[in-house]
Amino acid sequence: MSTTPPPQALTSDASPTSHERPADDGALGWLRALGPRGRRAFAGAFGGYALDSYDYFTLPLSMVALAAYFGLDSAQTGLFTTVTLVVSAIGGALAGVVADRVGRVKALMITVITYAVFTVACGFAPNYETLLVFRALQGLGFGGEWAVGAILVAEYASAKHRGRTLGAIQSSWAVGWALAAIVYTLVFSFAGDDLAWRIMFWTGALPALLVVWMRRRVQDAPKAIAVREQSSEKGSFTAIFKPGLLRTTIFAGLLSTGVQGGYYTLATWVPTYLKTERGLSVVGTGGYLTFLISGAFLGYLTGGYLTDRLGRRRNIWLFALLSAICILAYANIPDSANTLLLVLGFPLGFCMSAIFSGFGSYLSELYPTAVRGTGQGFTYNTGRAVGAVFPTTVGFLADSWGVGGALVFGAIGYGIAALALLGLPETRGKELA
């Protein structure tokens, strides 16, 4: 039986333009423009991505304790991140196909449940090998959540506000990161390291509460349902490699590789760098991360605004350059200048996050509705998998270069991203079904 909504549903509050107000109606005009259903979809995607971030950062924040507990070297600890990101590419690509075939909301719930279950399982790991397997399986859900959530909201958002709307979704990553940093500070302050890292993983059960709410309150955009059901190619990997989309798929994958290679290098190794090479305590590391995360949150929001004003490509070019400069500066601060390290954390977090703000809208606009989940899921997560080589490379280089010196390798990723844009069109202003 068809589940296509009746015609009147296409012009009700689900329509991305029916409730749109002029842009000068205030800073939250983009939120009002979504309508009631769109705002519930926004809340579901925002919460899902925030908790996705929280579950991801349980590992980097616990890395030093894990290395001591299992007797790991830098290369082995770097492998945790690489395995997570490589497997997340598989999960993300599959989630995109599922989203095109059974719907955005169902796919989103599947990804959230998957990453929550295996994050909790990590806390029970008896040895390094088991933890590596559980972390890899966590990547299946972690890889799909952002792409599916971004598409769900993009199909409610108007072209005028899409950059800001998806930038706000992206900012939830900083919210989850901040929550993880707070819990890390509390847990590691009151529990011994051998138990604290397990508690961090056990708190990853929180997303289960979100799934219960989403199941009752969140729905796909009706227009997108109608278009998707009428297509014969929905959820097809073959379709995104046909001549009309092949160039887009290749260059979008390269763009994702560069940006995520740079980002995950920093996200994985900065906590270790602060503790091992700068000699900061748990509380001290949390203080420095506060500046980094605050910059990230504002960067997501600012980048979302600029991607609507400057265009998708210009926004990414701008922040690729600034991110590379910040990495080079951050990794070369003199040992005696920890105050400068603190201050520079803010622009570093700002720039490396602002570049992501355009991704949700840009990748959604590059693909037609019937294969939008497949295209976005594949390119974003292929980039995540290939970009995973960067943190591992830093791990291998850290023993000879030091973590700070090896972080410079992340700047190469931003150069790749800038070059990839030469093969992609500008999509600002494009309407989505």
Side-chain angles (χ1 to χ4, degrees), residues 182-192 195-197 199-200 203:
I182 292 169
V183 173
Y184 158 80
T185 302
L186 293 173
V187 170
F188 276 81
S189 294
F190 292 101
L195 176 62
W197 69 265
I199 295 174
M200 283 295 294
T203 60

Side-chain angles (χ1 to χ4, degrees), residues 322-416:
L322 294 177
S323 295
I325 292 172
C326 283
I327 290 178
L328 295 174
Y330 197 77
N332 288 282
I333 294 174
D335 291 340
S336 60
N338 275 358
T339 300
L340 181 58
L341 186 76
L342 173 68
V343 173
L344 190 58
F346 186 89
L348 176 66
F350 183 93
C351 293
M352 74 184 209
S353 300
I355 194 172
F356 269 107
S357 293
F359 262 57
S361 52
Y362 195 31
L363 295 181
S364 294
E365 292 160 356
L366 287 172
Y367 288 94
T369 302
V371 294
R372 184 168 294 131
T374 305
Q376 181 154 329
F378 178 85
T379 56
Y380 186 81
N381 288 287
T382 295
R384 180 179 272 169
V386 180
V389 173
F390 286 68
T392 299
T393 302
V394 171
F396 280 107
L397 294 176
D399 291 333
S400 56
W401 293 14
V403 177
L407 283 176
V408 174
F409 190 76
I412 296 173
Y414 292 112
I416 293 172

Side-chain angles (χ1 to χ4, degrees), residues 56-331:
Y56 173 80
F57 279 105
T58 54
L59 175 65
L61 290 168
S62 304
M63 196 86 87
V64 174
L66 282 171
Y69 186 86
F70 291 117
L72 309 178
D73 58 28
S74 295
Q76 288 174 307
T77 53
L79 189 58
F80 277 126
T81 298
T82 297
V83 167
T84 302
L85 299 182
V86 169
V87 176
S88 77
I90 300 172
L94 293 176
V97 173
V98 172
D100 284 337
R101 293 188 177 183
V102 306
R104 314 322 192 192
V105 174
K106 288 182 181 177
L108 186 60
M109 290 191 293
I110 291 170
T111 64
V112 172
I113 291 171
T114 301
Y115 75 64
V117 167
F118 287 108
T119 297
V120 172
C122 286
F124 293 98
N127 52 50
Y128 171 70
E129 292 76 16
T130 303
L131 180 58
L132 199 62
V133 171
F134 285 155
R135 188 64 180 181
L137 293 173
Q138 187 261 5
L140 288 174
F142 168 69
E145 197 285 333
W146 179 83
V148 177
I151 293 167
L152 170 66
V153 178
E155 290 174 342
Y156 274 106
S158 67
K160 181 188 299 183
H161 299 294
R162 191 172 298 120
R164 273 163 284 189
T165 305
L166 273 295
I169 291 289
Q170 201 82 51
S171 73
S172 66
W173 181 265
V175 174
W177 189 2
L179 180 60
I182 292 169
V183 173
Y184 158 80
T185 302
L186 293 173
V187 170
F188 276 81
S189 294
F190 292 101
D193 284 8
D194 289 353
L195 176 62
W197 69 265
R198 293 188 185 276
I199 295 174
M200 283 295 294
F201 285 121
W202 292 336
T203 60
L206 290 172
L209 299 175
L210 177 68
V211 172
V212 174
W213 176 80
M214 287 175 56
R215 189 171 181 271
R216 296 173 58 89
R217 301 288 293 167
V218 184
Q219 301 172 324
D220 287 10
K223 283 187 176 180
I225 293 175
V227 172
R228 194 168 63 246
E229 289 186 344
Q230 293 166 8
S231 174
S232 60
E233 279 193 327
K234 57 186 177 182
S236 168
F237 282 119
T238 304
I240 65 172
F241 286 99
K242 287 184 176 180
L245 290 174
L246 177 61
R247 178 187 177 92
T248 295
T249 298
I250 291 173
F251 281 98
L254 284 173
L255 175 65
S256 295
T257 296
V259 171
Q260 295 188 87
Y263 181 87
Y264 284 109
T265 295
L266 294 169
T268 301
W269 286 105
V270 163
T272 298
Y273 170 64
L274 293 175
K275 290 190 72 173
T276 61
E277 295 197 11
R278 308 304 299 214
L280 298 179
S281 65
V282 169
V283 175
T285 299
Y288 278 69
L289 288 176
T290 298
F291 274 76
L292 189 67
I293 295 169
S294 298
F297 180 73
L298 293 177
Y300 285 129
L301 296 179
T302 303
Y305 174 77
L306 290 178
T307 200
D308 281 337
R309 293 297 300 269
L310 302 178
R312 311 324 189 202
R313 297 167 81 237
R314 287 181 180 177
N315 184 69
I316 295 173
W317 260 322
L318 172 64
F319 286 108
L321 174 62
L322 294 177
S323 295
I325 292 172
C326 283
I327 290 178
L328 295 174
Y330 197 77

Side-chain angles (χ1 to χ4, degrees), residues 16-35 39 156-158 160-162 164-165 305 308:
T17 57
S18 61
H19 286 267
E20 184 175 349
R21 300 186 182 188
D24 59 359
D25 262 7
L28 295 179
W30 58 269
L31 187 59
R32 288 191 295 270
L34 288 170
R39 286 193 288 273
Y156 274 106
S158 67
K160 181 188 299 183
H161 299 294
R162 191 172 298 120
R164 273 163 284 189
T165 305
Y305 174 77
D308 281 337

